[in-house]
Amino acid sequence: MENISIRPARPAELSAVAALRWEWLVETGSEDLGEREDFVRHFVAWAGENAGSHRCTVLVRDDRVIGMAWLAVVRRVPTPRAPRRASGDLQCVYVVPEARDGGLGGRLIRAVLDGARELGLERVTVHSGTRAIPAYARNGFQESPRLLQARIARA
């Protein structure tokens, strides 16, 4: 049996998580990424600055981080019956190519959703690439006719 764990990322693992993000960007053909080391430093600093709103869950095989998923938690406007509302957005779910198609991505998604339940979140959304839609659907995500988005152009 493989030595797999899924748990919150530790501060010392954030460089490895940043490296996964870099690998993902390279894999998807992103260009003009700059220097990898600069990105890793920036990413680790960003993760520290946003630890209150963005929670990282990692997939670890032995001692190597091979997957990640981020849950962005957003506080919602209160109602009389729900004075402490919040929802989540599942972001940057990634598993290294050699560990795909064996159910590990689904386990990672379920772990994040379990954490969202523990936080009492009302819902979790995800913006997915085409390839991953079936994995999200298998884990309870559904299309919603009421969820709309506006693309904001960069200046």
Side-chain angles (χ1 to χ4, degrees), residues 49-93:
E49 293 164 5
N50 291 281
S53 62
H54 289 70
R55 299 159 187 260
C56 181
T57 300
V58 290
L59 172 63
V60 180
R61 175 184 285 143
D62 299 318
D63 292 325
R64 179 179 170 229
V65 177
I66 62 167
M68 66 172 172
W70 290 80
L71 179 65
V73 177
V74 178
R75 300 286 171 217
R76 297 180 50 87
V77 176
T79 68
R81 292 186 179 161
R84 290 181 180 79
R85 299 172 63 212
S87 62
D89 188 51
L90 182 55
Q91 303 176 349
C92 295
V93 178

Side-chain angles (χ1 to χ4, degrees), residues 68-122:
M68 66 172 172
W70 290 80
L71 179 65
V73 177
V74 178
R75 300 286 171 217
R76 297 180 50 87
V77 176
T79 68
R81 292 186 179 161
R84 290 181 180 79
R85 299 172 63 212
S87 62
D89 188 51
L90 182 55
Q91 303 176 349
C92 295
V93 178
Y94 180 78
V95 176
V96 296
E98 64 270 18
R100 293 180 188 157
D101 300 321
L104 293 176
R107 288 175 56 189
L108 184 57
I109 292 166
R110 285 189 297 280
V112 173
L113 293 177
D114 288 344
R117 274 185 212 88
E118 289 173 13
L119 292 171
L121 301 187
E122 292 179 358

Side-chain angles (χ1 to χ4, degrees), residues 24 89-93 125-130 132-133 136 141 147 149 151:
W24 179 3
D89 188 51
L90 182 55
Q91 303 176 349
C92 295
V93 178
T125 59
V126 66
H127 179 233
S128 176
T130 305
I133 290 172
Y136 292 114
F141 285 85
L147 183 61
Q149 68 177 357
R151 296 213 180 253

